Amino acid sequence: MPENSKKAFERLSTDVRPLNYVIRLKPDLEKLTFEGTEEISLQVNKATKSVVLNCAEIKLSEVKYKGATQQFESDIGISYADEDETVTLTFPEELQVGRGSLLLSFSGILNDKMKGFYRSKYFTPSGEQRFGAATQFEATEARRAFPCWDEPAIKATFDVTLVVPKDRVALSNMPVVKETVLDDNTDWKVLTYQKTPIMSTYLVAFVIGEYDFIEEKDSDGVIVRVYTPIGKKDQGRFALEVAVKTLPFYKNYFGIGYSLPKMDLIAISDFAGGAMENWGLITYRETALLVDEANSSASSKQTVALVVGHEIAHMWFGNLVTMEWWTNLWLKEGFASWIEYLCVDHCFPEFDIWTQFASNDFTRALELDALKNSHPIEVAVGHPSEVDEIFDTISYSKGASVIRMLHDYIGDEDYRKGMHLYLSRHEYGNTCTEDLWSALGEASGKPIEKIMNTWTKQMGFPVIKVTQDNRGNEIVLKLQQEKFTADGSKDVEKMSWMIPITVSSASSPSRAIQRSVLDQAEGEIILKGVKPGDWIKLNVGGVGFYRTLYPPDMLEKLLPAVRSQTLPPRDRLQLQDDLFALARAGIASCVDVLKLTDAFENEGNFTVWSNLSGNLRALSALFQYTDFHSSFLAFIRKLFGPVMKRIGWEPSEGEGHLTRLLRSLVVGRMGRAGDPEVLEESRKRFARHCDGSQPLPADLRSAVRTFIA
C-alpha cells in the first residue's frame, strides 16, 4: 500500500460503551502465560451488528452476548486487526439499543516487554531466580491483559478476581473482599477485590509475587502500605513516612478527600519507568521507592520523596479527573511535576526544595525549549503510538514551570479555589486543558485562557530586554520581548507571549513591588519610591518562564547584592543562569559572565552552587582545548575553594540535608578542576574504602569515583 494511502487512525466508536468489567485472570508463573474470563456490562447506544474493542497478543476462545431480549452463543465472527490492536466481533443480527453483557474467554502471554501484563524476574534471598507478574498499562497496554475499550475517556468500573499460587502476594487497585481456595487445586487461592470507582483502563493494575510490607494509617484512617522485595521492608520506611504525610496534605489542598480505602506503593524489580500512578496500587522501580539509610545518598532520599509526592498527586489530578485524550497528557504530568515540590516543601521544609526546582526542572526546561527542535507543551496526538514521543522534559518540566508561573500570577488562595472547582466539577470524568483554564479564570477573575494559550500552544519562550530610565521621582523600565533561541538566531515569525511580570528592588528583595502583564512586543513599567542607585530585578524568585537581559549598568548594581546574598537564592540562581545562556547565544558578554560568577565566592546555598557548577562545566568544555583552559580551572578552584574549606570532608553533628548535598558537589567540582589537596585526600579515602577500613559516606562515593577512576 502506498505510504500516502496508509489507513488513518480512528478512535473507537461509542455506539457501544462499557459500564463495568468483571475480570478473572489466572497467571501461570512457570509457563509465563495467563488465562482469563471477562463479563463486560454494556450500554448499546445505537443498534449495531459489530463491536470493535482493543485487543493485543490475546486469543479469544469464546464469545457470548446477552441482551434484554436477545442472546448469542454461536456464529459470532472474530476478526483481529494486529496493526490497530483491535478485535471486531460480528453478531448474527444487530444488537438492540439498551443494556447487555459481553462474555469472553481468552488467553495471553506474560510478555518480557515490561508493558501490559508482563513477567517480572526477581531473586529470592537464597539467590533462586523466580518470576512474578506485574502490569504497566499507560498509555495503551491494558489491551494486552484483557480485551477492553482502551481509551482514557471510555471509563468504567472494574471487578477483579485473581487466581494465584497460595504462597504469593497478589494485589490490585482495591482491597480483597473475599479469599477462597481454588476448587480443583488447593495449591491455588482465589482473591476477589472490591469494585473500583469509575476509571480509565490505563489505571487498572495487578501485581503477583513475593513481597514484605509495612503499613500505617494516615490521619484520615486510610491504610497505607509499602511493599518491598523480601528482606527489604526497612528500606520502605521513608517512602511510607512521605505517603502518610502526603495524602492528608493533598486532601486539604484540593478540599477533596482520597477516594479509595487503601493506598499501596510497591517496588518492582523489573520496571520500565520511574513509577506509575495506578489508582490505589502505585508501582515503582526499586530506586524510586526504597531508601537504605546506610548506603543511600541524601540526593536519592530526596528523589524518593519527590516521586512519591508526584504519583500520589495523580490520585486526584489524572485519576479522579482524567484527560480526555493523550493530547492533554501535559495537564496531569505538568501539574504533578509542580505539586510534588509543594508537597515535599510541606513535608520537609529543610530541603529548600523550591530552589532545587529552579535548577532541576525550570532551567532544564528553558535549556531544551530554546532549541529549534522543541515542541509546544500541548501536542495534538492522533495514534496512541505517538504518546511516548511527548513523555519528555517539555511535558513534565516546562509544564510544571508554567503552572508555577500561573500559581504565582493568580495567588495561592484563588488558585486553590480554582483547583477545587475544577476537580469537583469534573470528578470521575474527563477534561481538556480549557476546562482547567475556565475554572481558574472563574476563581481568579483573570484572563487565564488567553494568557496560558500563549505558553501551551506554541513552542519556545521569550527573552525580555530591559533598560532603566530615571525620570524625576520615577523610574521607567522599558521592556522588549522576543523569542529566545539557544543559537542566538533571530525570530522571523515575531512570536509573542502574554508574560506575567514581577519586579523587586533593593528595598524589597523578596516581594514584588510591581506586577503587570506584558501583552505586547514592547511595554513600560513605572516604579515609584525606588532610589536611583538601588538595584532592580525582573522576575522575582525566578518564577516567570523567560530570560532577562540587563544592560551593564543594571547588572553592575546587582553584583553587591549577589556578593552579600541580600538577593534571595532563587534570584541569584536565575540571574547567573540567564546570563550564561545569553552569553552562549552570543547576546551577552562573557566578561559580564565571569564578573558575575566571581561575586558568588561567599555563596552558601547548595542549589545555587549546583546550577552555577553546571554552567561552569559547560563553559569548561568549550575552553578544554584552548591555551587558557588551565587558567579557567584555576578560576574554578579559587571560586570553590572557600566553600570547600568551610564544609570540609567530615560531616558535623546535626548537619543538614543540604550541607551533605553541597559537600558532594564541591568535592566533585574541586577534584575535576585538579585541586591537589582534594585529589590527594580523595586517593587516601578511596584506598581506605577499597580495603574496608573506612567506607566512603554514600554522599561522597559518586563524586570521588568520578575523578579517581
Side-chain angles (χ1 to χ4, degrees):
M1 181 183 291
E3 187 175 341
N4 59 5
S5 63
K6 185 178 180 180
K7 181 182 176 183
F9 170 72
E10 294 181 4
R11 291 170 63 174
L12 296 177
S13 168
T14 55
D15 289 349
V16 178
R17 291 183 68 100
L19 302 174
N20 174 256
Y21 296 82
V22 178
I23 302 167
R24 179 184 171 108
L25 296 174
K26 183 184 179 186
D28 187 323
L29 301 178
E30 294 182 358
K31 295 180 180 178
L32 303 177
T33 59
F34 65 90
E35 297 176 348
T37 61
E38 188 174 20
E39 180 175 352
I40 310 173
S41 298
L42 302 175
Q43 174 64 46
V44 181
N45 296 315
K46 182 180 178 181
T48 180
K49 197 172 181 181
S50 62
V51 174
V52 180
L53 60 163
N54 293 116
C55 181
E57 298 180 344
I58 283 178
K59 184 73 173 177
L60 291 172
S61 56
E62 187 176 39
V63 179
K64 298 179 181 179
Y65 178 80
K66 290 181 182 179
T69 59
Q70 57 186 168
Q71 183 169 325
F72 305 112
E73 295 188 357
S74 60
D75 298 325
I76 300 171
I78 302 173
S79 176
Y80 300 95
D82 293 341
E83 183 180 347
D84 296 332
E85 297 184 340
T86 61
V87 61
T88 300
L89 307 177
T90 305
F91 297 92
E93 60 186 68
E94 286 189 338
L95 305 185
Q96 298 171 4
V97 172
R99 295 288 180 89
S101 294
L102 185 63
L103 294 88
L104 308 175
S105 297
F106 54 91
S107 59
I109 59 169
L110 295 173
N111 67 69
D112 59 357
K113 302 172 184 176
M114 289 190 285
K115 64 181 182 180
F117 198 15
Y118 69 92
R119 67 189 74 166
S120 176
K121 182 173 68 176
Y122 64 95
F123 294 89
T124 66
S126 63
E128 180 187 351
Q129 177 183 301
R130 292 180 181 172
F131 285 98
T135 57
Q136 171 59 42
F137 288 165
E138 188 178 26
T140 57
E141 309 299 341
R143 63 193 65 179
R144 297 180 191 277
F146 54 95
C148 58
W149 281 256
D150 200 10
E151 295 184 2
I154 306 181
K155 291 188 170 186
T157 55
F158 296 83
D159 288 283
V160 173
T161 296
L162 296 177
V163 183
V164 300
K166 66 180 182 180
D167 60 348
R168 296 297 191 265
V169 172
L171 304 172
S172 190
N173 304 83
M174 301 297 286
V176 173
V177 292
K178 183 180 179 183
E179 178 176 340
T180 60
V181 175
L182 188 63
D183 293 338
D184 58 349
N185 192 336
T186 57
D187 290 336
W188 292 74
K189 60 185 176 182
V190 181
L191 301 175
T192 302
Y193 301 85
Q194 186 177 328
K195 186 190 296 288
T196 71
I198 185 169
M199 58 192 279
S200 302
T201 50
Y202 80 89
L203 296 170
V204 177
F206 334 114
V207 178
I208 300 102
E210 295 176 272
Y211 296 94
D212 284 338
F213 73 87
I214 51 176
E215 74 171 43
E216 285 187 25
K217 288 185 178 180
D218 76 355
S219 57
D220 296 307
V222 177
I223 298 171
V224 182
R225 288 181 173 180
V226 174
Y227 285 83
T228 73
I230 298 293
K232 293 185 178 181
K233 67 181 180 181
D234 284 343
Q235 296 182 29
R237 295 199 180 279
F238 178 71
L240 182 62
E241 175 192 349
V242 176
V244 168
K245 290 180 179 178
T246 297
L247 274 173
F249 170 75
Y250 286 142
K251 172 199 167 186
N252 294 331
Y253 193 85
F254 297 128
I256 297 174
Y258 176 60
S259 303
L260 274 59
K262 63 96 172 174
M263 165 71 73
D264 294 335
L265 297 79
I266 185 166
I268 296 175
S269 56
D270 290 332
F271 196 75
M276 175 60 207
E277 69 270 17
N278 313 298
W279 212 348
L281 177 56
I282 306 176
T283 46
Y284 298 80
R285 66 169 54 187
E286 290 188 20
T287 55
L289 188 68
L290 305 184
V291 172
D292 182 344
E293 294 293 347
N295 294 300
S296 296
S297 66
S299 176
S300 298
K301 193 172 184 178
Q302 182 175 285
T303 297
V304 168
L306 287 168
V307 175
V308 170
H310 180 105
E311 302 306 325
I312 293 179
H314 281 311
M315 302 302 107
W316 286 264
F317 216 90
N319 298 7
L320 182 65
V321 178
T322 311
M323 70 268 155
E324 195 278 335
W325 186 245
W326 300 108
T327 294
N328 299 115
L329 168 73
W330 87 272
L331 200 57
K332 74 181 184 75
E333 295 303 342
F335 179 84
S337 297
W338 168 76
I339 206 169
E340 70 185 58
Y341 283 87
L342 194 71
C343 165
V344 171
D345 187 51
H346 166 78
C347 296
F348 306 100
E350 67 274 16
F351 284 8
D352 185 29
I353 202 69
W354 278 117
T355 304
Q356 295 191 61
F357 174 89
S359 182
N360 296 345
D361 284 84
F362 180 78
T363 58
R364 188 163 57 122
L366 286 171
E367 183 179 351
L368 290 176
D369 204 30
L371 302 176
K372 291 182 177 179
N373 64 348
S374 182
H375 63 79
I377 289 176
E378 189 171 305
V379 178
V381 173
H383 196 284
S385 63
E386 301 168 17
V387 173
D388 289 343
E389 299 172 17
I390 58 170
F391 271 87
D392 64 4
T393 299
I394 299 300
S395 295
Y396 285 77
S397 296
K398 184 181 178 181
S401 297
V402 299
I403 287 173
R404 175 176 174 241
M405 177 174 66
L406 176 62
H407 173 267
D408 182 73
Y409 170 64
I410 293 175
D412 188 64
E413 184 178 350
D414 285 343
Y415 188 86
R416 291 175 70 168
K417 288 179 183 176
M419 290 306 307
H420 176 78
L421 178 62
Y422 170 78
L423 291 171
S424 57
R425 178 180 287 171
H426 301 288
E427 62 181 350
Y428 302 109
N430 297 83
T431 61
C432 58
T433 302
E434 288 71 24
D435 295 312
L436 178 60
W437 299 158
S438 176
L440 292 172
E442 285 183 46
S444 66
K446 294 180 177 179
I448 304 303
E449 183 172 352
K450 187 177 179 182
I451 290 173
M452 294 307 294
N453 281 347
T454 67
W455 295 98
T456 63
K457 294 185 182 298
Q458 60 183 1
M459 61 180 269
F461 61 89
V463 55
I464 296 181
K465 298 178 179 179
V466 56
T467 58
Q468 178 179 333
D469 186 17
N470 299 332
R471 297 179 188 170
N473 295 327
E474 298 178 341
I475 292 178
V476 178
L477 300 180
K478 295 183 177 180
L479 312 179
Q480 178 186 353
Q481 66 159 300
E482 60 183 54
K483 185 179 187 293
F484 175 76
T485 52
D487 62 3
S489 58
K490 291 295 182 182
D491 172 29
V492 295
E493 298 179 25
K494 302 297 181 185
M495 296 170 67
S496 66
W497 289 259
M498 293 183 69
I499 311 169
I501 301 291
T502 54
V503 183
S504 61
S505 70
S507 61
S508 181
S510 302
R511 287 183 171 272
I513 58 173
Q514 187 88 357
R515 289 178 177 270
S516 64
V517 175
L518 179 63
D519 56 2
Q520 303 291 332
E522 297 181 0
E524 288 187 354
I525 295 177
I526 299 175
L527 304 177
K528 297 180 179 180
V530 178
K531 298 175 183 178
D534 283 358
W535 58 261
I536 295 170
K537 182 183 176 296
L538 263 62
N539 201 0
V540 182
V543 172
F545 197 75
Y546 57 88
R547 297 204 183 274
T548 307
L549 177 63
Y550 297 95
D553 59 325
M554 291 184 73
L555 186 61
E556 194 72 33
K557 290 176 183 176
L558 285 161
L559 297 184
V562 173
R563 202 175 299 275
S564 65
Q565 299 182 55
T566 53
L567 190 68
R570 293 171 213 166
D571 293 277
R572 299 197 299 273
L573 186 154
Q574 184 232 340
L575 185 66
Q576 60 83 22
D577 193 72
D578 279 358
L579 197 56
F580 269 94
L582 292 164
R584 286 194 295 267
I587 299 172
S589 164
C590 283
V591 174
D592 287 340
V593 169
L594 295 177
K595 285 171 65 177
L596 176 61
T597 301
D598 192 53
F600 284 89
E601 62 181 356
N602 299 317
E603 182 59 56
N605 185 280
F606 157 70
T607 313
V608 176
W609 273 122
S610 177
N611 188 261
L612 179 59
S613 176
N615 283 320
L616 288 170
R617 184 167 60 248
L619 207 56
S620 179
L622 293 176
F623 294 159
Q624 188 169 4
Y625 300 107
T626 65
D627 294 338
F628 50 84
H629 187 234
S630 59
S631 299
F632 183 73
L633 294 180
F635 172 76
I636 291 177
R637 294 194 296 271
K638 175 179 176 292
L639 181 66
F640 281 80
V643 67
M644 181 72 228
K645 289 180 180 177
R646 283 200 307 272
I647 63 174
W649 284 87
E650 298 296 336
S652 58
E653 188 175 350
E655 180 176 272
H657 169 83
L658 294 172
T659 304
R660 292 168 60 194
L661 293 173
L662 180 58
R663 180 177 294 107
S664 173
L665 172 74
V666 173
V667 167
R669 175 50 57 199
M670 289 288 280
R672 284 188 292 271
D675 183 82
E677 292 182 13
V678 170
L679 289 174
E680 179 61 24
E681 183 65 21
S682 295
R683 292 187 188 100
K684 292 178 181 177
R685 288 174 178 262
F686 189 67
R688 293 196 293 268
H689 176 76
C690 291
D691 66 24
S693 60
Q694 185 183 359
L696 275 167
D699 294 299
L700 291 179
R701 290 174 191 171
S702 176
V704 168
R705 288 169 180 164
T706 298
F707 51 83
I708 290 297

